[in-house]
Amino acid sequence: QAADLHSLNVFLRMVDRVRVTLNPGLRLLGILITFYDQRLRHHRDILETIVASNVPVFNTKIGRSIRVAEAVAAEESVVSYSEANPQAEAYRQLAKELMPWISGG
């Protein structure tokens, strides 16, 4: 939605402001797309707009799932709450995507 893109722009401006005023070494690893449904044209269009703006976006996309909401209510991660859930696998993929950064490589 337009509100989502507006919020992203506000966030990116804040990151730039912090970089300039407080932390010149601050860098954005990527934007994690959540509640994504690739079947919806609107979602694909927003993703395309974000990617076209040269903002780094993680390859992993987290979709909608009732199990994710249930895990939050149970105060667990979806990985431990519903290990076989596709969104649990998406979070495992995100962890793999982050490993080079975490390990310093």
Side-chain angles (χ1 to χ4, degrees), residues 24-96:
L26 180 65
R27 66 185 177 124
L28 181 63
L29 295 178
I31 300 297
L32 177 61
I33 305 297
T34 60
F35 298 103
Y36 182 69
D37 187 338
Q38 68 183 9
R39 298 170 300 176
L40 300 177
R41 180 169 178 82
H42 178 69
H43 287 200
R44 293 191 315 266
D45 290 347
I46 288 175
L47 179 58
E48 186 178 301
T49 299
I50 294 170
V51 169
S53 70
N54 292 320
V55 174
V57 177
F58 289 112
N59 291 325
T60 303
K61 312 293 180 281
I62 307 297
R64 292 181 182 265
S65 169
I66 190 66
R67 295 291 178 252
V68 173
E70 290 172 352
V72 170
E75 298 180 352
E76 290 186 47
S77 75
V78 70
V79 174
S80 63
Y81 183 81
S82 183
E83 184 178 326
N85 183 273
Q87 301 321 313
E89 178 56 30
Y91 278 106
R92 285 190 287 273
Q93 285 302 116
L94 177 63
K96 289 177 187 174

